[in-house]
Amino acid sequence: MPKVALLFIRYVDGFNRGLGKIIMWGIFVMAGILLWSSISKTFFNPSLWTLEIAQFAMVAYYVLGGPYSIQMGSNVRMDLFYAEWSLKKKAWFDTFTVLLLIFYIGVLIHGALNSTAYSLGYFGKNSYAFWWDLFVAFITGGPDAASDMIGYIERSPTAWRPFLWPIKFTMLFGFILMLLQSVSELLKDIARLKGETI
């Protein structure tokens, strides 16, 4: 296995492992939000923000914990036949399925790029051009030039009306991490097929 591939695996796995161990504690954040929601509805005026913040926390928990789940192999799989296969046969099957996963995550990233651009006020059809122009504006003119590119910021249509770009950006970031972790898993499967251990 080339040294660059080993470095990629080490850094991607290390980052996603560290982030996953932090995100695991997010379950207590969600429990605290929902506990406060119950207390405020019972004893005080109900809080407007609790339902949406709980939803946002759940999305962050799921999406940012996804790469660690892929790394640990704790995602759902059908073990009816898989458990009895040899390591080489498992590696062949995993190589095929991770390629499908990479394609699927690519579609999710495309949708997340479009949705996040929309939440930042871009209503055109080519969100990739928007992201490039935003990047160029930030590099050449700094944050002020980049903020001039941003239009009407999307808000939730609820009474609380939070901005939606932070959670959409979190989803985009999580999908990119999942893609990197999937490529890492593909490289590990290829190494197993060659009889190498990582």
Side-chain angles (χ1 to χ4, degrees), residues 43-162:
F43 300 109
F44 314 110
N45 290 331
S47 300
L48 293 175
W49 55 270
T50 53
L51 178 63
E52 281 182 296
I53 285 292
Q55 290 170 344
F56 292 166
M58 182 63 189
V59 167
Y61 179 75
Y62 176 78
V63 172
L64 296 177
Y68 185 55
S69 176
I70 292 170
Q71 183 183 131
M72 299 305 294
S74 57
N75 48 316
V76 177
R77 82 172 75 203
M78 223 11 214
D79 279 345
L80 184 61
F81 304 109
Y82 186 88
E84 301 296 322
W85 290 348
S86 68
L87 289 175
K88 198 157 198 161
K89 191 170 184 181
K90 286 179 182 179
W92 274 111
F93 189 76
D94 289 344
T95 300
F96 173 72
T97 55
V98 83
L99 288 171
L100 295 175
L101 178 63
I102 288 170
F103 171 76
Y104 177 67
I105 293 172
V107 172
L108 290 176
I109 289 172
H110 173 73
L113 281 167
N114 290 335
S115 183
T116 307
Y118 182 86
S119 72
L120 292 174
Y122 178 75
F123 305 118
K125 294 190 180 195
N126 187 0
S127 66
Y128 292 98
F130 167 76
W131 287 111
W132 177 252
D133 292 343
L134 190 64
F135 174 73
V136 169
F138 182 78
I139 294 299
T140 58
D144 291 334
S147 67
D148 290 341
M149 299 268 317
I150 295 173
Y152 176 78
I153 305 286
E154 181 184 18
R155 297 182 84 126
S156 173
T158 61
W160 185 45
R161 295 187 44 75

Side-chain angles (χ1 to χ4, degrees), residues 1-18 67-68 70-72 98 102 177-194 196-198:
M1 175 95 10
K3 189 173 184 181
V4 99
L6 292 172
L7 283 173
F8 177 83
I9 291 169
R10 186 169 65 173
Y11 286 118
V12 167
D13 284 10
F15 182 81
N16 286 333
R17 185 180 308 111
Y68 185 55
I70 292 170
Q71 183 183 131
M72 299 305 294
V98 83
I102 288 170
L177 291 179
M178 281 188 210
L179 179 65
L180 293 174
Q181 187 62 50
S182 297
V183 172
S184 173
E185 296 304 312
L186 177 63
L187 292 172
K188 289 182 218 173
D189 290 333
I190 291 170
R192 281 188 207 104
L193 288 173
K194 291 180 172 181
E196 299 175 19
T197 54
I198 296 180

